[in-house]
Structure formats: C-alpha cells, structure tokens
Amino acid sequence: MSDAAFQECINPDCRATYGVGEVRVACGKCGSLLDVRYDWGRLPVPKSLSYFEHRWSTKGTSTEGILDFSGVWRFRELMPFYRTESDVVTIGEGRTVLQTADLLGRQMGMQGGKLLLQYEGLNPSGSFKDNGMAAAFTHARMVGAKKVACASTGNTSASLAMFASLAEMQGIVFIGSGKISFGKLSQALDYGALTLQIRGDFDACLRRIRQIAVDVPEMGIYLMNSVNPFRLEGQKSIMFRILEALNWESPDWVIVPGGNLGNCSAFGKAFKELKELGLVKKVPRLAVINASGANTLNEIYSRQNVRWNEGRYDAEKVQKLYAAMDESNYHPHTIASAIEISRPVNLPKALRALAFMDGVVREVSDEEILEQRAMVARYGFGCEPASAASVAGLRKLLDERVISPSERVVCILTGHELKDPNATVKYHTGIDMKAVQDQAPRSEPKGKFSNRPVPVEDDLESIIRAMGGQPSAIAGMKTKVQRSNLPLTEY
Ligand code: F0G
C-alpha cells in the first residue's frame, strides 16, 4: 500500500518529498512541516462515503474485525500510509459519539437540532489524542521504533503512555512541572511511562524533546508530538465520524479549541482530501478558539491578519511576535491547561486549514471557559475546561452574528470531564484541591508498580541523564546543521 504514500514539505517553494519509511519531524531541506500525501489514482478509494457503513456490523477478533471496530481504521482507505495490516496499532480508539445538544443549544438561542457535540473524551485514554496516536504508533511500528516520546500538556502524554504500554515500546513524556492536571498525570504514571517533570512550560518541554529527537540520534527517540505528520492522519477521522453521524452531510460549522493546532490542521486536511476525491460536496466553516491567556493564533490571524497565502504567509510577522514574547518573558497562562501553549508548532498548517475552510479565530477568557464548561456538564455529559473553549467560542460567534441560530454547528469536546476534576470542584465549591494536595504530607510510594515522576531542570544534559542516556551523546549533537534547518519558530 505504502509506495503510493509519501511525505511532502508544505512549503510551496520547496515541496521536497520523502518516503513514508523515513522518520522526520520537519523537511530536511527547508525545515517546514511535512504532510503525508497520497497518489490516490494508485489506491483503492471508495466511490462514496457510505461504503464505510458495511463495517459497522463486522465482528470478531480477526484483523479485519479489529480494524473495523476502530473509529480510526474503519476509514483506513482514507489514510493508507502503512505497508500491511499487521503494522496497524489499535486499542479500540475513536468509538465516540456526536450528540444533539438541544438543551444547551436552547440556552444559547439556537434552533432545535442545530447544536451537536462531538464527545472525543470517550476515547480509551479520555481525549481525542488517541485518534492520532493510533496512526503515529502504526508508523512507529512500521519503522521499528523502540522508544517513543512527547512533550505534553497532559492528554498527549496520557495517550502516548497507554499506547506505548500496549504496543510494547518505551514511553517517555515531558511535562511542565505543575502544569498538567492530576487526572492526566495519574494516567502517564499508571501506564508506566518515564515521566519527566521539566522545570518549565509546555513550549520549553517541546523544544527540548524535539532537540533530543532531532539532534541526539543516539537516544533513538521517535517523536509523537503533532509535528509528526502521521499523528494528524489519525486525527482526520474525527471529521469522518462527524460526517458519518450526519448521514454523510457536512455541518455548517466545526468549532475546535486551538492549542498546538494539530487538530484543526488535521480537519482542514481531511476536508481538502475529501473534496479532491469528490466524496463531499460542501466544506464546513472552521472556528478555532484560543484561551485569552494563550492566544497566539488569534493574535496572528485576527489582529495581525496573517493568512496562508498559498503557503507564502508572512513568517516575519510571526517571528516578530515570538521575539517580543521572548523579550517580555511572556508565558501563557490559562485555567484550560491543555491549551496553555504560546508557540503552536502547527501554525502554518492551521493557517492552511483556515484558508481552505473559510475559517475564523477567536479567544475566550478563563471565566467564559469555566461558565460554558459548567453549562455543557449541566445539559450534556461534561468535558474538561479546554474543550469548553469550543462552546464558549460558539457563544461569542452567535453574539457577533457570525454564526446564525439556524446553522448546524459541531463543537468538538476534546477531553473527558474527569481529566481535570480539580477545576470542576473549584468552580462549584471554591476549594482549590490542587493547593490542598500540594501541601499534603507525603510518604514514600510503596506499591510494587509505583512509577514516580522525575523532576528535572530545563537543561539538556540533566534531561539526557534522566532519560538514561550518557551526556557524551550530546557531544555528537548535530545542533548547528539541524538547528539552521528548523524555522526559528520551532526552537
Ligand atoms: N483540547 C484538549 C483537551 C487538549 O488536550 C489539547 C491539546 C487541545 C484541545 C488542543 O489541540 O494542540 O491539536 O490544537 N493538548 C496537547 C497535549 C497539546 O499535550 O495534550 P491542538
């Protein structure tokens, strides 16, 4: 299957291509992001999306049964990058639901049947990340990876840890010290990942793990963050399932919270491919919602009017913004810790998705996020704070009359309510459980399977040691060559 699939640089002035067997997180020539591309003419593509319906009734433990059970691999003809079905990794991800939310919609003045919530928190690890991990782990298995790692605001690490344990690879996660919710931290520990609590925020963690994956090949790290183009292939399936639930009709709007901007990028790619293949007529509009305390995309897109411009976007404006952030020692801060990110690595792809889906970007305050999160829980079945940014964004866009009450809107609820119970308890009672936990007396963990997080300074040598590597690995570091190849935004 895989020779009709390849990786391609998204920069229109480069367009370098690489085989799917190569492990890359950026173009080797110009440093831009990569896409997974397909020569569809050489692949068996269904004539209509209803083709996938026959898979709903598949049963059993045969490979076909297992793949059909997955809400990702049920659509495998639309992400055919793997060599054989034995490469495919699945843990039963993507069996999520699209729920009509009339009670919530009514509170917002929407017409009946027009507001729908896509509950991605129903994935095995409790967030949408499992869609992408299924695809990235499939690629990791294809290339024989043994150690997989990511930086995370919590959900990527939970998902990676779960998949790594089931796929028998070593999982390593970098999290910002005190930056992720307890629900998510508990998952990474429970699934046995080596959990490094780096003194820094998500942006610092991602910078470090990319540096190690790219510049210290001796460490043998396969990077699982969404700069890995295979992750985004799996995340396309969220759109396929929404179409499926709507009897293959596109909604008018898709609204999604924006953090590192992998999800919205994947949505744009999904619809671009479906349109090119003639499998959908209409492309929905996209709204990406930032938290005000981590609003880089909104600043760049809505205030500074940076547009995709066929790939020739104004990168200088972006660099200036990042330089100003550095100068003022800016760090993002929001109650929606999952999207507390100030240098979204998928920014160019997000601009491309916004261009293709005629998108808008907004930001919402922590207060709006918390109020809408509580509304979702009151009239639905709950989500974590970051997810509610989508609903808070809808409210704003309804107020602005950008979205009309008669339009069909899907809000993506990216993570489960139980991911961050502290935020919920604090909202309802005023008690800050995290502060209480921080002050609680500690004892040595005694369980046979206890897996303590390892606190580490944001320093390359200390991190390599904590990962079990030798500091001498840094001596061979290809820093100069590779760094100059990655755009400034990436480091
Ligand atoms: N919602 C939740 C619950 C998330 O965990 C994330 C990202 C997002 C939204 C934003 O998605 O990055 O594709 O724009 N969480 C990442 C993590 C960064 O490490 O778990 P995005």
Side-chain angles (χ1 to χ4, degrees), residues 127-129 150-157 184 202 225-226 231-232 235 256-264 288 338-339 341 346 384 386-387 413-416:
S127 86
F128 73 92
K129 303 288 179 182
C150 70
S152 182
T153 55
N155 281 323
T156 305
S157 48
K184 299 172 191 181
F202 170 83
N225 280 99
S226 54
R231 269 266 313 269
L232 301 194
Q235 284 170 219
V256 63
N260 223 3
L261 306 179
N263 232 5
C264 59
V288 185
I339 52 175
I341 295 173
N346 288 298
E384 67 168 283
S387 310
L413 299 185
T414 44
H416 200 282

PDB file of all heavy atoms in Angstrom, residues 127-129 150-157 184 202 225-226 231-232 235 256-264 288 338-339 341 346 384 386-387 413-416, ligand 1:
ATOM      1  N   SER A 127      -9.271  11.304  25.665  1.00  0.00           N
ATOM      2  CA  SER A 127      -9.191  12.512  24.833  1.00  0.00           C
ATOM      3  C   SER A 127      -9.029  12.145  23.362  1.00  0.00           C
ATOM      4  O   SER A 127      -8.754  10.989  23.018  1.00  0.00           O
ATOM      5  CB  SER A 127      -8.023  13.410  25.257  1.00  0.00           C
ATOM      6  OG  SER A 127      -6.829  12.996  24.612  1.00  0.00           O
ATOM      7  N   PHE A 128      -9.166  13.176  22.513  1.00  0.00           N
ATOM      8  CA  PHE A 128      -9.071  12.977  21.056  1.00  0.00           C
ATOM      9  C   PHE A 128      -7.700  12.481  20.616  1.00  0.00           C
ATOM     10  O   PHE A 128      -7.529  12.019  19.490  1.00  0.00           O
ATOM     11  CB  PHE A 128      -9.387  14.288  20.335  1.00  0.00           C
ATOM     12  CG  PHE A 128      -8.307  15.337  20.414  1.00  0.00           C
ATOM     13  CD1 PHE A 128      -7.337  15.419  19.423  1.00  0.00           C
ATOM     14  CD2 PHE A 128      -8.251  16.225  21.467  1.00  0.00           C
ATOM     15  CE1 PHE A 128      -6.329  16.376  19.488  1.00  0.00           C
ATOM     16  CE2 PHE A 128      -7.243  17.177  21.539  1.00  0.00           C
ATOM     17  CZ  PHE A 128      -6.281  17.262  20.554  1.00  0.00           C
ATOM     18  N   LYS A 129      -6.708  12.582  21.499  1.00  0.00           N
ATOM     19  CA  LYS A 129      -5.344  12.242  21.090  1.00  0.00           C
ATOM     20  C   LYS A 129      -5.233  10.804  20.614  1.00  0.00           C
ATOM     21  O   LYS A 129      -4.356  10.489  19.813  1.00  0.00           O
ATOM     22  CB  LYS A 129      -4.376  12.441  22.260  1.00  0.00           C
ATOM     23  CG  LYS A 129      -4.375  13.823  22.842  1.00  0.00           C
ATOM     24  CD  LYS A 129      -3.713  14.833  21.942  1.00  0.00           C
ATOM     25  CE  LYS A 129      -3.769  16.215  22.567  1.00  0.00           C
ATOM     26  NZ  LYS A 129      -3.191  17.260  21.740  1.00  0.00           N
ATOM     27  N   CYS A 150       7.114  12.343  23.931  1.00  0.00           N
ATOM     28  CA  CYS A 150       6.393  13.563  23.575  1.00  0.00           C
ATOM     29  C   CYS A 150       6.541  14.580  24.702  1.00  0.00           C
ATOM     30  O   CYS A 150       6.882  14.226  25.833  1.00  0.00           O
ATOM     31  CB  CYS A 150       4.897  13.277  23.376  1.00  0.00           C
ATOM     32  SG  CYS A 150       4.008  12.896  24.906  1.00  0.00           S
ATOM     33  N   ALA A 151       6.282  15.837  24.345  1.00  0.00           N
ATOM     34  CA  ALA A 151       6.043  16.871  25.352  1.00  0.00           C
ATOM     35  C   ALA A 151       4.541  17.004  25.431  1.00  0.00           C
ATOM     36  O   ALA A 151       3.854  16.769  24.434  1.00  0.00           O
ATOM     37  CB  ALA A 151       6.650  18.186  24.895  1.00  0.00           C
ATOM     38  N   SER A 152       4.025  17.384  26.590  1.00  0.00           N
ATOM     39  CA  SER A 152       2.568  17.396  26.658  1.00  0.00           C
ATOM     40  C   SER A 152       2.009  18.322  27.722  1.00  0.00           C
ATOM     41  O   SER A 152       2.645  18.570  28.746  1.00  0.00           O
ATOM     42  CB  SER A 152       2.071  15.976  26.923  1.00  0.00           C
ATOM     43  OG  SER A 152       0.662  15.937  26.951  1.00  0.00           O
ATOM     44  N   THR A 153       0.790  18.791  27.438  1.00  0.00           N
ATOM     45  CA  THR A 153       0.020  19.474  28.474  1.00  0.00           C
ATOM     46  C   THR A 153      -0.860  18.440  29.196  1.00  0.00           C
ATOM     47  O   THR A 153      -1.742  18.808  29.955  1.00  0.00           O
ATOM     48  CB  THR A 153      -0.849  20.601  27.885  1.00  0.00           C
ATOM     49  OG1 THR A 153      -1.685  20.043  26.852  1.00  0.00           O
ATOM     50  CG2 THR A 153       0.001  21.714  27.295  1.00  0.00           C
ATOM     51  N   GLY A 154      -0.652  17.171  28.918  1.00  0.00           N
ATOM     52  CA  GLY A 154      -1.294  16.117  29.697  1.00  0.00           C
ATOM     53  C   GLY A 154      -2.003  15.043  28.903  1.00  0.00           C
ATOM     54  O   GLY A 154      -1.882  13.858  29.200  1.00  0.00           O
ATOM     55  N   ASN A 155      -2.752  15.435  27.889  1.00  0.00           N
ATOM     56  CA  ASN A 155      -3.511  14.416  27.168  1.00  0.00           C
ATOM     57  C   ASN A 155      -2.654  13.614  26.197  1.00  0.00           C
ATOM     58  O   ASN A 155      -2.828  12.405  26.067  1.00  0.00           O
ATOM     59  CB  ASN A 155      -4.680  15.063  26.416  1.00  0.00           C
ATOM     60  CG  ASN A 155      -5.838  15.347  27.352  1.00  0.00           C
ATOM     61  OD1 ASN A 155      -6.102  14.560  28.267  1.00  0.00           O
ATOM     62  ND2 ASN A 155      -6.520  16.460  27.154  1.00  0.00           N
ATOM     63  N   THR A 156      -1.733  14.291  25.518  1.00  0.00           N
ATOM     64  CA  THR A 156      -0.848  13.547  24.617  1.00  0.00           C
ATOM     65  C   THR A 156      -0.047  12.541  25.426  1.00  0.00           C
ATOM     66  O   THR A 156       0.141  11.395  25.012  1.00  0.00           O
ATOM     67  CB  THR A 156       0.099  14.511  23.870  1.00  0.00           C
ATOM     68  OG1 THR A 156      -0.683  15.492  23.212  1.00  0.00           O
ATOM     69  CG2 THR A 156       0.925  13.793  22.827  1.00  0.00           C
ATOM     70  N   SER A 157       0.415  12.968  26.611  1.00  0.00           N
ATOM     71  CA  SER A 157       1.230  12.056  27.426  1.00  0.00           C
ATOM     72  C   SER A 157       0.399  10.873  27.913  1.00  0.00           C
ATOM     73  O   SER A 157       0.878   9.733  27.922  1.00  0.00           O
ATOM     74  CB  SER A 157       1.877  12.799  28.596  1.00  0.00           C
ATOM     75  OG  SER A 157       0.960  13.601  29.276  1.00  0.00           O
ATOM     76  N   LYS A 184      -4.530  13.641  34.340  1.00  0.00           N
ATOM     77  CA  LYS A 184      -3.638  13.307  33.219  1.00  0.00           C
ATOM     78  C   LYS A 184      -2.296  12.778  33.728  1.00  0.00           C
ATOM     79  O   LYS A 184      -1.749  11.823  33.181  1.00  0.00           O
ATOM     80  CB  LYS A 184      -3.431  14.551  32.348  1.00  0.00           C
ATOM     81  CG  LYS A 184      -4.737  15.057  31.749  1.00  0.00           C
ATOM     82  CD  LYS A 184      -4.568  16.400  31.044  1.00  0.00           C
ATOM     83  CE  LYS A 184      -5.941  16.976  30.715  1.00  0.00           C
ATOM     84  NZ  LYS A 184      -5.848  18.266  30.016  1.00  0.00           N
ATOM     85  N   PHE A 202       5.009  24.048  28.646  1.00  0.00           N
ATOM     86  CA  PHE A 202       4.903  23.124  27.516  1.00  0.00           C
ATOM     87  C   PHE A 202       5.859  23.503  26.388  1.00  0.00           C
ATOM     88  O   PHE A 202       6.511  22.637  25.801  1.00  0.00           O
ATOM     89  CB  PHE A 202       3.458  23.114  26.976  1.00  0.00           C
ATOM     90  CG  PHE A 202       3.335  22.366  25.677  1.00  0.00           C
ATOM     91  CD1 PHE A 202       3.207  20.975  25.670  1.00  0.00           C
ATOM     92  CD2 PHE A 202       3.376  23.022  24.455  1.00  0.00           C
ATOM     93  CE1 PHE A 202       3.123  20.269  24.468  1.00  0.00           C
ATOM     94  CE2 PHE A 202       3.294  22.330  23.252  1.00  0.00           C
ATOM     95  CZ  PHE A 202       3.162  20.950  23.263  1.00  0.00           C
ATOM     96  N   ASN A 225       4.813  14.028  19.070  1.00  0.00           N
ATOM     97  CA  ASN A 225       4.014  15.268  19.055  1.00  0.00           C
ATOM     98  C   ASN A 225       3.425  15.493  17.665  1.00  0.00           C
ATOM     99  O   ASN A 225       3.805  14.814  16.705  1.00  0.00           O
ATOM    100  CB  ASN A 225       4.865  16.460  19.503  1.00  0.00           C
ATOM    101  CG  ASN A 225       4.986  16.492  21.015  1.00  0.00           C
ATOM    102  OD1 ASN A 225       5.993  16.054  21.567  1.00  0.00           O
ATOM    103  ND2 ASN A 225       3.951  16.962  21.691  1.00  0.00           N
ATOM    104  N   SER A 226       2.543  16.489  17.563  1.00  0.00           N
ATOM    105  CA  SER A 226       1.805  16.618  16.302  1.00  0.00           C
ATOM    106  C   SER A 226       2.630  17.224  15.161  1.00  0.00           C
ATOM    107  O   SER A 226       2.113  17.394  14.062  1.00  0.00           O
ATOM    108  CB  SER A 226       0.508  17.393  16.520  1.00  0.00           C
ATOM    109  OG  SER A 226       0.766  18.622  17.144  1.00  0.00           O
ATOM    110  N   ARG A 231       0.585  11.548  12.977  1.00  0.00           N
ATOM    111  CA  ARG A 231      -0.423  11.810  14.017  1.00  0.00           C
ATOM    112  C   ARG A 231      -1.677  12.420  13.389  1.00  0.00           C
ATOM    113  O   ARG A 231      -2.808  12.034  13.674  1.00  0.00           O
ATOM    114  CB  ARG A 231       0.133  12.822  15.031  1.00  0.00           C
ATOM    115  CG  ARG A 231       0.841  12.269  16.224  1.00  0.00           C
ATOM    116  CD  ARG A 231      -0.065  12.102  17.441  1.00  0.00           C
ATOM    117  NE  ARG A 231      -0.920  13.200  17.777  1.00  0.00           N
ATOM    118  CZ  ARG A 231      -0.623  14.192  18.611  1.00  0.00           C
ATOM    119  NH1 ARG A 231       0.544  14.224  19.205  1.00  0.00           N
ATOM    120  NH2 ARG A 231      -1.505  15.132  18.889  1.00  0.00           N
ATOM    121  N   LEU A 232      -1.440  13.403  12.541  1.00  0.00           N
ATOM    122  CA  LEU A 232      -2.574  14.151  12.002  1.00  0.00           C
ATOM    123  C   LEU A 232      -3.434  13.294  11.074  1.00  0.00           C
ATOM    124  O   LEU A 232      -4.626  13.541  10.923  1.00  0.00           O
ATOM    125  CB  LEU A 232      -2.088  15.407  11.270  1.00  0.00           C
ATOM    126  CG  LEU A 232      -1.280  16.376  12.143  1.00  0.00           C
ATOM    127  CD1 LEU A 232      -1.134  17.723  11.445  1.00  0.00           C
ATOM    128  CD2 LEU A 232      -1.914  16.589  13.500  1.00  0.00           C
ATOM    129  N   GLN A 235      -6.045  11.888  13.176  1.00  0.00           N
ATOM    130  CA  GLN A 235      -6.999  12.887  13.672  1.00  0.00           C
ATOM    131  C   GLN A 235      -7.994  13.332  12.599  1.00  0.00           C
ATOM    132  O   GLN A 235      -9.031  13.905  12.924  1.00  0.00           O
ATOM    133  CB  GLN A 235      -6.241  14.052  14.319  1.00  0.00           C
ATOM    134  CG  GLN A 235      -5.719  13.619  15.701  1.00  0.00           C
ATOM    135  CD  GLN A 235      -4.763  14.567  16.375  1.00  0.00           C
ATOM    136  OE1 GLN A 235      -3.796  14.127  16.997  1.00  0.00           O
ATOM    137  NE2 GLN A 235      -4.989  15.861  16.263  1.00  0.00           N
ATOM    138  N   VAL A 256     -13.445  24.196  17.228  1.00  0.00           N
ATOM    139  CA  VAL A 256     -12.469  23.376  17.953  1.00  0.00           C
ATOM    140  C   VAL A 256     -11.545  24.277  18.766  1.00  0.00           C
ATOM    141  O   VAL A 256     -11.181  25.371  18.319  1.00  0.00           O
ATOM    142  CB  VAL A 256     -11.683  22.501  16.937  1.00  0.00           C
ATOM    143  CG1 VAL A 256     -10.870  23.343  15.960  1.00  0.00           C
ATOM    144  CG2 VAL A 256     -10.784  21.489  17.616  1.00  0.00           C
ATOM    145  N   PRO A 257     -11.160  23.834  19.985  1.00  0.00           N
ATOM    146  CA  PRO A 257     -10.174  24.615  20.732  1.00  0.00           C
ATOM    147  C   PRO A 257      -8.817  24.528  20.039  1.00  0.00           C
ATOM    148  O   PRO A 257      -8.493  23.487  19.449  1.00  0.00           O
ATOM    149  CB  PRO A 257     -10.098  23.909  22.093  1.00  0.00           C
ATOM    150  CG  PRO A 257     -11.026  22.755  22.057  1.00  0.00           C
ATOM    151  CD  PRO A 257     -11.593  22.619  20.704  1.00  0.00           C
ATOM    152  N   GLY A 258      -8.030  25.588  20.121  1.00  0.00           N
ATOM    153  CA  GLY A 258      -6.705  25.584  19.485  1.00  0.00           C
ATOM    154  C   GLY A 258      -5.601  25.662  20.516  1.00  0.00           C
ATOM    155  O   GLY A 258      -5.579  26.562  21.367  1.00  0.00           O
ATOM    156  N   GLY A 259      -4.687  24.699  20.481  1.00  0.00           N
ATOM    157  CA  GLY A 259      -3.516  24.698  21.359  1.00  0.00           C
ATOM    158  C   GLY A 259      -2.279  24.680  20.476  1.00  0.00           C
ATOM    159  O   GLY A 259      -1.808  25.709  20.003  1.00  0.00           O
ATOM    160  N   ASN A 260      -1.796  23.459  20.220  1.00  0.00           N
ATOM    161  CA  ASN A 260      -0.652  23.306  19.325  1.00  0.00           C
ATOM    162  C   ASN A 260      -1.116  23.255  17.867  1.00  0.00           C
ATOM    163  O   ASN A 260      -0.315  23.102  16.949  1.00  0.00           O
ATOM    164  CB  ASN A 260       0.102  22.024  19.691  1.00  0.00           C
ATOM    165  CG  ASN A 260       1.598  22.221  19.698  1.00  0.00           C
ATOM    166  OD1 ASN A 260       2.083  23.324  19.480  1.00  0.00           O
ATOM    167  ND2 ASN A 260       2.324  21.149  19.910  1.00  0.00           N
ATOM    168  N   LEU A 261      -2.409  23.303  17.649  1.00  0.00           N
ATOM    169  CA  LEU A 261      -3.065  23.454  16.340  1.00  0.00           C
ATOM    170  C   LEU A 261      -2.943  22.226  15.433  1.00  0.00           C
ATOM    171  O   LEU A 261      -3.063  22.343  14.213  1.00  0.00           O
ATOM    172  CB  LEU A 261      -2.563  24.713  15.622  1.00  0.00           C
ATOM    173  CG  LEU A 261      -2.679  26.007  16.449  1.00  0.00           C
ATOM    174  CD1 LEU A 261      -2.126  27.197  15.671  1.00  0.00           C
ATOM    175  CD2 LEU A 261      -4.124  26.271  16.862  1.00  0.00           C
ATOM    176  N   GLY A 262      -2.759  21.063  16.053  1.00  0.00           N
ATOM    177  CA  GLY A 262      -2.726  19.839  15.253  1.00  0.00           C
ATOM    178  C   GLY A 262      -4.120  19.435  14.794  1.00  0.00           C
ATOM    179  O   GLY A 262      -4.330  19.064  13.632  1.00  0.00           O
ATOM    180  N   ASN A 263      -5.067  19.531  15.718  1.00  0.00           N
ATOM    181  CA  ASN A 263      -6.419  19.074  15.392  1.00  0.00           C
ATOM    182  C   ASN A 263      -7.032  19.871  14.247  1.00  0.00           C
ATOM    183  O   ASN A 263      -7.501  19.307  13.264  1.00  0.00           O
ATOM    184  CB  ASN A 263      -7.297  19.223  16.640  1.00  0.00           C
ATOM    185  CG  ASN A 263      -8.030  17.955  16.993  1.00  0.00           C
ATOM    186  OD1 ASN A 263      -7.834  16.912  16.371  1.00  0.00           O
ATOM    187  ND2 ASN A 263      -8.893  18.040  17.979  1.00  0.00           N
ATOM    188  N   CYS A 264      -7.011  21.190  14.351  1.00  0.00           N
ATOM    189  CA  CYS A 264      -7.635  21.988  13.289  1.00  0.00           C
ATOM    190  C   CYS A 264      -6.901  21.757  11.962  1.00  0.00           C
ATOM    191  O   CYS A 264      -7.528  21.737  10.894  1.00  0.00           O
ATOM    192  CB  CYS A 264      -7.709  23.468  13.661  1.00  0.00           C
ATOM    193  SG  CYS A 264      -6.116  24.227  13.985  1.00  0.00           S
ATOM    194  N   VAL A 288     -11.569  28.262  15.168  1.00  0.00           N
ATOM    195  CA  VAL A 288     -10.562  27.787  16.129  1.00  0.00           C
ATOM    196  C   VAL A 288     -10.569  28.758  17.306  1.00  0.00           C
ATOM    197  O   VAL A 288     -10.487  29.980  17.111  1.00  0.00           O
ATOM    198  CB  VAL A 288      -9.154  27.736  15.492  1.00  0.00           C
ATOM    199  CG1 VAL A 288      -8.157  27.127  16.475  1.00  0.00           C
ATOM    200  CG2 VAL A 288      -9.171  26.929  14.199  1.00  0.00           C
ATOM    201  N   ALA A 338      -4.715  22.422  29.070  1.00  0.00           N
ATOM    202  CA  ALA A 338      -4.440  21.625  27.858  1.00  0.00           C
ATOM    203  C   ALA A 338      -4.024  22.501  26.678  1.00  0.00           C
ATOM    204  O   ALA A 338      -3.328  22.048  25.777  1.00  0.00           O
ATOM    205  CB  ALA A 338      -5.675  20.806  27.477  1.00  0.00           C
ATOM    206  N   ILE A 339      -4.475  23.753  26.689  1.00  0.00           N
ATOM    207  CA  ILE A 339      -4.160  24.624  25.542  1.00  0.00           C
ATOM    208  C   ILE A 339      -3.287  25.807  25.973  1.00  0.00           C
ATOM    209  O   ILE A 339      -3.268  26.849  25.323  1.00  0.00           O
ATOM    210  CB  ILE A 339      -5.448  25.096  24.799  1.00  0.00           C
ATOM    211  CG1 ILE A 339      -6.474  25.711  25.757  1.00  0.00           C
ATOM    212  CG2 ILE A 339      -6.061  23.933  24.048  1.00  0.00           C
ATOM    213  CD1 ILE A 339      -7.705  26.296  25.050  1.00  0.00           C
ATOM    214  N   ILE A 341      -0.397  27.103  25.541  1.00  0.00           N
ATOM    215  CA  ILE A 341       0.710  26.965  24.589  1.00  0.00           C
ATOM    216  C   ILE A 341       0.869  28.308  23.880  1.00  0.00           C
ATOM    217  O   ILE A 341      -0.119  28.868  23.400  1.00  0.00           O
ATOM    218  CB  ILE A 341       0.369  25.867  23.555  1.00  0.00           C
ATOM    219  CG1 ILE A 341       0.277  24.501  24.245  1.00  0.00           C
ATOM    220  CG2 ILE A 341       1.368  25.830  22.409  1.00  0.00           C
ATOM    221  CD1 ILE A 341      -0.210  23.373  23.375  1.00  0.00           C
ATOM    222  N   ASN A 346       2.069  23.833  14.831  1.00  0.00           N
ATOM    223  CA  ASN A 346       1.378  23.595  13.559  1.00  0.00           C
ATOM    224  C   ASN A 346       0.783  24.863  12.961  1.00  0.00           C
ATOM    225  O   ASN A 346      -0.113  24.781  12.107  1.00  0.00           O
ATOM    226  CB  ASN A 346       0.271  22.551  13.755  1.00  0.00           C
ATOM    227  CG  ASN A 346       0.853  21.172  13.957  1.00  0.00           C
ATOM    228  OD1 ASN A 346       1.517  20.644  13.070  1.00  0.00           O
ATOM    229  ND2 ASN A 346       0.645  20.606  15.132  1.00  0.00           N
ATOM    230  N   GLU A 384     -13.583  18.580  29.784  1.00  0.00           N
ATOM    231  CA  GLU A 384     -12.582  19.322  30.553  1.00  0.00           C
ATOM    232  C   GLU A 384     -12.570  20.792  30.107  1.00  0.00           C
ATOM    233  O   GLU A 384     -13.138  21.130  29.055  1.00  0.00           O
ATOM    234  CB  GLU A 384     -11.209  18.676  30.418  1.00  0.00           C
ATOM    235  CG  GLU A 384     -10.597  18.750  29.034  1.00  0.00           C
ATOM    236  CD  GLU A 384      -9.120  18.363  29.051  1.00  0.00           C
ATOM    237  OE1 GLU A 384      -8.332  19.217  29.485  1.00  0.00           O
ATOM    238  OE2 GLU A 384      -8.776  17.253  28.644  1.00  0.00           O
ATOM    239  N   ALA A 386     -10.469  22.961  28.636  1.00  0.00           N
ATOM    240  CA  ALA A 386     -10.030  23.354  27.286  1.00  0.00           C
ATOM    241  C   ALA A 386     -11.096  23.047  26.243  1.00  0.00           C
ATOM    242  O   ALA A 386     -11.308  23.821  25.300  1.00  0.00           O
ATOM    243  CB  ALA A 386      -8.736  22.625  26.928  1.00  0.00           C
ATOM    244  N   SER A 387     -11.776  21.927  26.418  1.00  0.00           N
ATOM    245  CA  SER A 387     -12.785  21.516  25.438  1.00  0.00           C
ATOM    246  C   SER A 387     -13.914  22.534  25.354  1.00  0.00           C
ATOM    247  O   SER A 387     -14.476  22.776  24.284  1.00  0.00           O
ATOM    248  CB  SER A 387     -13.380  20.169  25.824  1.00  0.00           C
ATOM    249  OG  SER A 387     -12.368  19.239  26.092  1.00  0.00           O
ATOM    250  N   LEU A 413     -15.649  18.404  21.626  1.00  0.00           N
ATOM    251  CA  LEU A 413     -15.293  18.330  23.048  1.00  0.00           C
ATOM    252  C   LEU A 413     -14.115  17.363  23.141  1.00  0.00           C
ATOM    253  O   LEU A 413     -14.271  16.145  23.073  1.00  0.00           O
ATOM    254  CB  LEU A 413     -16.492  17.867  23.881  1.00  0.00           C
ATOM    255  CG  LEU A 413     -17.711  18.799  23.816  1.00  0.00           C
ATOM    256  CD1 LEU A 413     -18.801  18.317  24.766  1.00  0.00           C
ATOM    257  CD2 LEU A 413     -17.348  20.247  24.121  1.00  0.00           C
ATOM    258  N   THR A 414     -12.945  17.958  23.274  1.00  0.00           N
ATOM    259  CA  THR A 414     -11.697  17.226  23.049  1.00  0.00           C
ATOM    260  C   THR A 414     -11.290  16.278  24.178  1.00  0.00           C
ATOM    261  O   THR A 414     -10.591  15.304  23.945  1.00  0.00           O
ATOM    262  CB  THR A 414     -10.576  18.245  22.812  1.00  0.00           C
ATOM    263  OG1 THR A 414     -10.715  19.294  23.796  1.00  0.00           O
ATOM    264  CG2 THR A 414     -10.652  18.853  21.435  1.00  0.00           C
ATOM    265  N   GLY A 415     -11.702  16.593  25.411  1.00  0.00           N
ATOM    266  CA  GLY A 415     -11.249  15.766  26.539  1.00  0.00           C
ATOM    267  C   GLY A 415     -12.354  15.531  27.563  1.00  0.00           C
ATOM    268  O   GLY A 415     -13.295  16.323  27.702  1.00  0.00           O
ATOM    269  N   HIS A 416     -12.222  14.442  28.294  1.00  0.00           N
ATOM    270  CA  HIS A 416     -13.238  13.994  29.256  1.00  0.00           C
ATOM    271  C   HIS A 416     -13.298  14.900  30.486  1.00  0.00           C
ATOM    272  O   HIS A 416     -12.280  15.420  30.936  1.00  0.00           O
ATOM    273  CB  HIS A 416     -12.881  12.574  29.696  1.00  0.00           C
ATOM    274  CG  HIS A 416     -14.019  11.817  30.287  1.00  0.00           C
ATOM    275  ND1 HIS A 416     -14.447  12.034  31.569  1.00  0.00           N
ATOM    276  CD2 HIS A 416     -14.819  10.865  29.764  1.00  0.00           C
ATOM    277  CE1 HIS A 416     -15.469  11.225  31.815  1.00  0.00           C
ATOM    278  NE2 HIS A 416     -15.710  10.507  30.736  1.00  0.00           N
TER     279      HIS A 416
HETATM  280  N1  F0G B   1      -8.214  20.144  23.909  1.00  0.00           N
HETATM  281  C1  F0G B   1      -7.541  19.299  24.697  1.00  0.00           C
HETATM  282  C2  F0G B   1      -8.303  18.609  25.765  1.00  0.00           C
HETATM  283  C3  F0G B   1      -6.161  19.089  24.510  1.00  0.00           C
HETATM  284  O1  F0G B   1      -5.519  18.230  25.299  1.00  0.00           O
HETATM  285  C4  F0G B   1      -5.488  19.800  23.501  1.00  0.00           C
HETATM  286  C5  F0G B   1      -4.060  19.634  23.288  1.00  0.00           C
HETATM  287  C6  F0G B   1      -6.236  20.664  22.692  1.00  0.00           C
HETATM  288  C7  F0G B   1      -7.580  20.816  22.924  1.00  0.00           C
HETATM  289  C8  F0G B   1      -5.604  21.435  21.599  1.00  0.00           C
HETATM  290  O2  F0G B   1      -5.406  20.629  20.478  1.00  0.00           O
HETATM  291  O3  F0G B   1      -2.981  21.016  20.162  1.00  0.00           O
HETATM  292  O4  F0G B   1      -4.374  19.975  18.387  1.00  0.00           O
HETATM  293  O5  F0G B   1      -4.634  22.397  18.957  1.00  0.00           O
HETATM  294  N2  F0G B   1      -3.292  19.019  24.072  1.00  0.00           N
HETATM  295  C9  F0G B   1      -1.891  18.717  23.796  1.00  0.00           C
HETATM  296  C10 F0G B   1      -1.338  17.785  24.829  1.00  0.00           C
HETATM  297  C11 F0G B   1      -1.060  19.878  23.462  1.00  0.00           C
HETATM  298  O6  F0G B   1      -0.125  17.780  25.046  1.00  0.00           O
HETATM  299  O7  F0G B   1      -2.099  17.018  25.398  1.00  0.00           O
HETATM  300  P1  F0G B   1      -4.283  21.030  19.419  1.00  0.00           P
END
